[in-house]
């Protein structure tokens, strides 16, 4: 795990930066949700600078683990995510980013990266309905 | 990153296991969403065995990174999560678990781990409404 002294400099508000519990690569996961329908669109990853850009530019920016570079969603595809709100969870290792998504969120063309990808489950028997 | 030969044995369907893209600790992140309201409740982590238990027992089970043990949500708190559906995203590194949540999901007593934890944002100017 990185300690605070190993986090690269960023433009993130230090008061927010202090609350982040980053993984060994300096990242927190970011759940992206369509603000009006509640649909969960995708999960991405942010370092401090990606979060700072997301909070201040109105556009969602991730850190691409595969390409090792910043990735402002929609710059290539046109499928931009306009930020409506961002919340950090109770233990500081996950973000909920509420957006207005332009076009499909998934690179495969589905609205959400989870669409049509259900796994077989045995649902609870006698659970609350 | 673990390769397939390093993944511990589990009861997970091998066809599902082959689709998982695990992090260096053998985990994928699991976004938990209330099935009817769409509220995102929390983010947890699952290894193959935690996912297998979630898919087959009707109750959400995580791998606790801090305690290094399986954690069936609600066993201590009573705040159980009853599984309604599970989807794996397009690149295999995130799960969306739709549940019926009993009581608050957050250990702090809030419904969601994100409730009341909004960060200050500058929203998009001239973006789609």
């Amino acid at each position: 795990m990185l300690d605070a002294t190993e986090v690269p400099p960023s433009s993130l508000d230090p008061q927010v930066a202090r609350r982040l519990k980053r993984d060994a690569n300096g990242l927190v996961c970011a759940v992206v949700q369509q603000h009006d329908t509640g649909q969960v669109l995708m999960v991405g990853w942010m370092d401090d600078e990606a979060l700072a850009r997301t909070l201040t530019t109105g556009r969602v920016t991730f850190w691409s683990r595969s390409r090792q570079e910043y990735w402002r969603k929609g710059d290539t595809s046109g499928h931009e995510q306009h930020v409506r709100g961002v919340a950090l969870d109770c233990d500081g290792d996950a973000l909920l980013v509420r957006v207005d998504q332009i076009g499909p969120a998934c690179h495969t063309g589905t609205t959400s990266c989870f669409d049509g990808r259900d796994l077989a489950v045995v649902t609870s028997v006698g659970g609350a309905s």
Side-chain angles (χ1 to χ4, degrees), chain A:
Chain A
M1 187 74 75
L2 294 174
D3 66 33
T5 60
E6 295 174 296
V7 177
S10 81
S11 56
L12 184 63
D13 179 340
Q15 291 195 324
V16 175
R18 275 195 290 274
R19 295 169 56 192
L20 296 183
K21 196 169 79 180
R22 306 167 190 84
D23 71 9
N25 298 310
L27 304 174
V28 295
C29 78
V31 179
V32 181
Q33 182 182 38
Q34 174 66 26
H35 75 100
D36 48 1
T37 65
Q39 185 171 21
V40 175
L41 299 171
M42 59 178 288
V43 173
W45 300 86
M46 294 186 187
D47 66 1
D48 288 39
E49 179 61 24
L51 175 57
R53 295 183 190 183
T54 298
L55 292 173
T56 58
T57 67
R59 288 275 303 279
V60 178
T61 300
F62 302 101
W63 175 256
S64 170
R65 297 183 299 175
S66 55
R67 297 192 303 271
Q68 292 284 300
E69 64 183 17
Y70 293 105
W71 162 44
R72 192 170 73 159
K73 176 76 178 168
D75 278 355
T76 303
S77 64
H79 301 151
E80 304 174 357
Q81 293 175 338
H82 294 265
V83 178
R84 294 303 186 94
V86 180
L88 180 64
D89 76 347
C90 55
D91 60 359
D93 66 353
L95 295 157
L96 178 62
V97 184
R98 292 178 298 276
V99 305
D100 194 33
Q101 169 73 51
I102 308 301
C106 188
H107 73 287
T108 65
T110 55
T111 301
S112 153
C113 292
F114 298 98
D115 280 345
R117 298 179 175 96
D118 282 292
L119 303 177
V121 298
V122 178
T123 54
S124 58
V125 177
S129 63

